[in-house]
Amino acid sequence: MRIATWNVNSIRTRVDRVTDWLSRADVDVLAMQETKCTDAQFPAMPFAALGYEIAHVGLNQWNGVAIASRVGLDNVEIGFDGQPEWQALAEARAIGATCGGVRVWSLYIPNGRTLADPHYPYKLEWLAALRDSASKWIADDPSLPVALTGDWNIAPTDEDVWDPAFFEGSTHVSAPERAAFQAMVDAGFTDVVRPYTPGPGVYTYWDYTQLRFPKKQGMRIDFILGSAALSERVTHAEIVREERKGKSPSDHAPVLIEVS
């Protein structure tokens, strides 16, 4: 089974690119982030034409997460227990479903904005709540294959950014954010992609400005973290950098794993 994650940065803008890649890459399950539309606006028909079911949560033109699956879409869950709200408002940042026996979560972790912004402690609170819920999932059923996929908005190590000095004093690389990512690893989840895509210089995101992509000035912030029951079944992984090229690309590339 082939499972992928992709911050599509507006599904209505990029539906043709996404479905074309799904077809070419023979993907069974795709977790999407930043769909930027309501449920009613999601362009489900092109996915249905390829045999995919869709689970989506979107509340407005911001955020939005989805799962497209052609191997089943069961026990859909919007949000997780304890998921924080932003200033008393729910956000569309997490959706889970069981696809071909794997519990897949599409996650769009808050950006944090700046270290002084209220969005930064919200981000840390959100990550702590995710860790607590995810720890419980695998404690309750250690045999459950869980894939925590998505845009984590964290570069866990210095090799995950093109220039650590450039990001000094910024979000994505701060010690508390990196500690929150490590806490997920300590809770029993493994970055199942990195062994197949070692760095430095291996990125999943390149800003649209300053010719960051052709200059190879990116960040690795999109991950698939697997429970032990999933990690032992991963046989291949890749970052599909080519999909960052061409006309009207997302600023992120898909991340793909194969599971036996």
Side-chain angles (χ1 to χ4, degrees):
M1 184 163 63
R2 291 164 68 84
I3 301 171
T5 182
W6 195 356
N7 180 322
V8 296
N9 192 10
S10 178
I11 188 59
R12 288 180 292 173
T13 299
R14 277 171 261 283
V15 61
D16 291 341
R17 285 195 62 131
V18 172
T19 53
D20 176 66
W21 180 71
L22 282 176
S23 180
R24 287 185 286 109
D26 195 27
V27 173
D28 296 299
V29 183
L30 175 64
M32 291 171 273
Q33 302 85 42
E34 277 203 280
T35 57
K36 294 185 176 181
C37 65
T38 65
D39 292 347
Q41 293 169 326
F42 189 94
M45 290 303 294
F47 290 90
L50 294 176
Y52 292 89
E53 299 176 84
I54 295 289
H56 175 259
V57 56
L59 305 176
N60 47 43
Q61 74 272 31
W62 308 111
N63 309 317
V65 285
I67 299 172
S69 174
R70 64 181 187 183
V71 291
L73 193 67
D74 302 314
N75 301 318
V76 174
E77 186 176 357
I78 295 173
F80 52 85
D81 287 345
Q83 180 177 325
E85 296 182 337
W86 169 241
Q87 297 183 341
L89 296 175
E91 291 194 305
R93 291 187 176 274
I95 190 168
T98 301
C99 309
V102 175
R103 189 64 178 167
V104 178
W105 281 88
S106 180
L107 305 167
Y108 181 43
I109 280 73
N111 180 285
R113 300 177 183 171
T114 72
L115 299 183
D117 193 283
H119 217 247
Y120 179 73
Y122 165 61
K123 177 180 189 175
L124 297 177
E125 180 187 4
W126 205 97
L127 286 161
L130 174 63
R131 178 203 61 218
D132 291 346
S133 284
S135 297
K136 187 175 186 301
W137 300 334
I138 58 176
D140 289 346
D141 185 1
S143 66
L144 180 66
V146 180
L148 305 179
T149 82
D151 178 356
W152 291 74
N153 274 315
I154 301 172
T157 73
D158 280 353
E159 75 173 23
D160 296 327
V161 296
W162 63 273
D163 181 3
F166 179 85
F167 293 94
E168 188 174 352
S170 301
T171 58
H172 294 58
V173 300
S174 71
E177 290 167 289
R178 287 179 168 179
F181 190 92
Q182 182 61 41
M184 297 299 305
V185 176
D186 294 341
F189 290 89
T190 301
D191 178 354
V192 297
V193 178
R194 194 180 296 266
Y196 297 89
T197 60
V202 180
Y203 307 128
T204 64
Y205 164 84
W206 302 259
D207 198 317
Y208 289 126
T209 65
Q210 304 296 316
L211 297 175
R212 295 293 186 209
F213 183 70
K215 292 179 180 178
K216 300 181 180 180
Q217 296 176 345
M219 307 175 73
R220 188 197 288 248
I221 58 175
D222 301 85
F223 298 93
I224 299 177
L225 300 188
S227 65
L230 178 77
S231 300
E232 64 188 14
R233 294 170 51 189
V234 175
T235 59
H236 175 73
E238 60 185 283
I239 296 167
V240 192
R241 188 178 184 276
E242 293 297 305
E243 291 305 311
R244 179 58 175 80
K245 298 179 179 179
K247 183 179 180 181
S248 299
S250 171
D251 43 4
H252 295 251
V255 178
L256 171 72
I257 62 172
E258 292 184 5
V259 180
S260 65

